[in-house]
Amino acid sequence: MTAFADLMAFQRETEALAQIAGRLGWDQETMMPEGAAEQRGEEMAAIEGVLHARRTDPRVGDWLAGAEAPDASGARSLELIGRSYNRNAAVPGRLAAEIARVTSIAQGIWAEARAKDDVARFLPIFEKVVALMREKGQALAAAGFGGGDVYDALLDDYEPGATAATIGAMFGRMRPRLVALREKVLGAGGQPAPVTGHFTKEGQLALARELATAFGYDWTRGRLDLAVHPFSSGSGNDARITTRVVEADPFNCLYSTIHEVGHACYELAIDPAHLFTPLGAGVSMGVHESQSRIYENQIGRSRAFTGWLHGRMREIFGDFGVGSAGEFYRSVNRVQSGYIRTEADEVHYNLHIMMRFDLERRVMAGTLEVADLEAAWNARFAEDFGVRVDRPANGVLQDVHWSVGLFGYFPTYTLGNVYAGCLMKALRADLPDVDADLARGDAKPATDWLTAKVQRFGGLYRPAEVIERACGFVPNEGPLLDYLDAKFGDLYGL
């Protein structure tokens, strides 16, 4: 065998083991008994130790030095394996295993603390998570990742090539238009009424499954379960989704499901030839989020699709107080200052992300101590949203991300929104009659376009490159902001 063939065979086993680790994480969120948390931490640490050893195996370096790629896909695989090898080699195995152990335990403690609104219960383990992630960022920065900046070195794990400076500059350009739009909308008369009533768990989950099917989710390679914080997990031929149910708020379940279907469909649509290779997963979290957000918002909250959804909800739940499809469209897209990021409307959502981005940068830099994070969150939230946080579960404890060490992850949500704005502009240019399909409850033509233009490539192209190839122009925030101004200007008669 050649060095390239040896390397790819070794990589195949590493990718398979990583899938097993991911399945353990899925089980922890959905099926694992509460009392197993500490044991699962040890299990996760053990498998992470094996993975870290494989990813830093000296043979990988030798194979990389001697490998010759047979084609463009092979060259890209070598690039990604080399990047992974160098990143993992920069992080001591002891540290990688300890991060896996502590974050696994912290995730369970976060869930308990959130349920009980008990920040003090969470802070001690979170102090450990922060210390470990700072240590990891410092190790990566010392190896040259992120240009030597600790936060950028962590961000690079989720959006290769991005920096806090470029993202911060983009946020600076977006913020004035978002704030101006929010003020106009909230100052407009005739605010739409919220959907109210009792929506049974069984009815919501049945409709959630119907929605997943409408968006092209392959049930032979996936499943739907409940979780505290909705997520998707897996790739290749096993990509699972979760949702949550609040019987007074059906949109929580329905749009969480559509969002996670976007993530899962991306993974399921990747060219099967890339399975168990570095190309066999989404290329970045920003691109991944572009799929979930375009499914959820530009398609799922469109006037055409909500017209169909309104009819289905009346058939399942009866009269729920919103008589017309037009009123329902306004209710689905109702703008209000709320606490919860995952429930935020499109106008406010990116402001939630900008707040988290600023706070986590300060935490990683050591200019904001963990003990002061709740107060900083509450002060910033009151400043940005004009509402005081009423309890920790609606504030600093609402997101799972920090408990599992995902520092640098949050800004990719807004980057995904930016990419989604670009993609929808191109999709509508290519499919001018797409609204007719959506009005019949058929999102498949739109999602098939995304499969062909984005999803099937997996990691073959760099993040911004895959979006530029799909759209025909360099991605930028303009199309998203124009879309928001047009949509909500129409909705609120601005």
Side-chain angles (χ1 to χ4, degrees), residues 187-367:
Q191 292 287 335
V195 170
T196 59
H198 179 254
F199 302 85
T200 65
K201 176 180 178 180
E202 294 75 17
Q204 288 192 47
L205 290 176
L207 184 52
R209 290 183 65 87
E210 187 175 345
L211 288 169
T213 300
F215 278 81
Y217 187 53
D218 183 354
W219 290 103
T220 69
R221 299 187 292 158
R223 55 180 289 142
L224 173 65
D225 294 279
L226 294 174
V228 173
H229 190 108
F231 70 100
S232 65
S233 176
S235 63
N237 292 315
D238 187 345
R240 309 175 187 193
I241 59 174
T242 64
T243 191
R244 62 184 170 203
V245 173
V246 178
E247 295 199 346
D249 178 14
F251 297 153
N252 199 312
C253 171
L254 301 182
Y255 282 98
S256 290
T257 300
I258 296 173
H259 182 98
E260 300 309 335
V261 163
H263 283 303
C265 282
Y266 183 6
E267 294 293 335
L268 293 172
I270 295 172
D271 187 337
H274 298 330
L275 183 63
F276 294 131
T277 78
L279 310 185
V283 67
S284 75
M285 289 315 305
V287 177
H288 235 302
E289 197 62 22
S290 76
Q291 302 308 285
S292 61
R293 296 299 282 180
I294 197 172
Y295 276 47
E296 177 189 356
N297 292 326
Q298 283 91 340
I299 299 173
R301 296 183 192 271
S302 66
R303 186 183 293 274
F305 191 77
T306 57
W308 171 83
L309 180 59
H310 174 251
R312 287 298 295 128
M313 286 189 65
R314 285 177 65 88
E315 290 169 2
I316 294 172
F317 301 111
D319 183 3
F320 54 89
V322 180
S324 72
E327 291 173 11
F328 183 76
Y329 173 57
R330 297 191 75 220
S331 295
V332 168
N333 290 286
R334 183 169 180 257
V335 176
Q336 58 182 336
S337 291
Y339 299 116
I340 306 299
R341 173 187 62 85
T342 57
E343 300 170 9
D345 56 75
E346 292 179 82
V347 175
H348 282 97
Y349 185 89
N350 295 303
L351 297 174
H352 282 270
I353 297 304
M354 293 172 186
M355 181 184 78
R356 288 157 173 76
F357 171 68
D358 289 342
L359 291 175
E360 71 178 15
R361 287 178 70 189
R362 291 173 59 195
V363 168
M364 280 298 106
T367 59

Side-chain angles (χ1 to χ4, degrees), residues 90 135-150 153:
E135 186 178 351
K136 179 181 178 179
Q138 290 163 357
L140 289 168
F145 288 97
D149 179 85
V150 170

Side-chain angles (χ1 to χ4, degrees), residues 177 418 476-483:
R177 282 183 66 176
V418 167
N476 64 88
E477 69 276 6
L480 172 66
L481 295 174
D482 291 344
Y483 154 79

Side-chain angles (χ1 to χ4, degrees), residues 450-466:
L450 292 165
T451 291
K453 294 288 188 175
V454 177
Q455 296 170 359
R456 67 188 177 95
F457 298 114
L460 183 60
Y461 304 112
R462 294 187 177 114
E465 182 184 2
V466 73

